[in-house]
Amino acid sequence: MSNCKEIGRNVKRLRKQAGLSQEQLAFEAGISNSYLRRVEHGTANPTVHELEKVAGALDVALIDLVMVLGPAGAAL
């Protein structure tokens, strides 16, 4: 799986855990809804600055967005 797809998977998982819609997270992070959708689908190539904004809105560390998780959800 590509890095962008892994990041998107993590963003979506953490967003859902936080109980936020895409629109709510995009607003809190100061990015557009369409861009967040592309990040979650793995078709955008977000910058570190953009990922920091998303991590801040989710109240998680940047590493939580970029770590690769195994099939059981454990970090590899």
Side-chain angles (χ1 to χ4, degrees):
M1 187 175 289
S2 75
N3 291 333
C4 290
K5 289 210 181 282
E6 287 288 346
I7 290 169
R9 202 169 102 189
N10 289 336
V11 169
K12 185 174 184 175
R13 175 180 52 80
L14 292 166
R15 174 181 60 78
K16 287 186 173 194
Q17 283 178 1
L20 297 172
S21 68
Q22 283 182 332
E23 292 79 14
Q24 290 168 316
L25 178 55
F27 177 79
E28 293 295 323
I31 60 176
S32 72
N33 296 341
S34 62
Y35 185 71
L36 178 60
R37 243 185 327 275
R38 289 181 28 235
V39 169
E40 287 192 358
H41 286 112
T43 59
N45 188 12
T47 65
V48 171
H49 178 70
E50 291 160 339
L51 291 175
E52 286 174 334
K53 293 189 327 185
V54 171
L58 290 169
D59 197 28
V60 299
L62 180 59
I63 190 70
D64 294 325
L65 299 183
V66 298
M67 79 169 81
V68 176
L69 299 178
L76 296 179

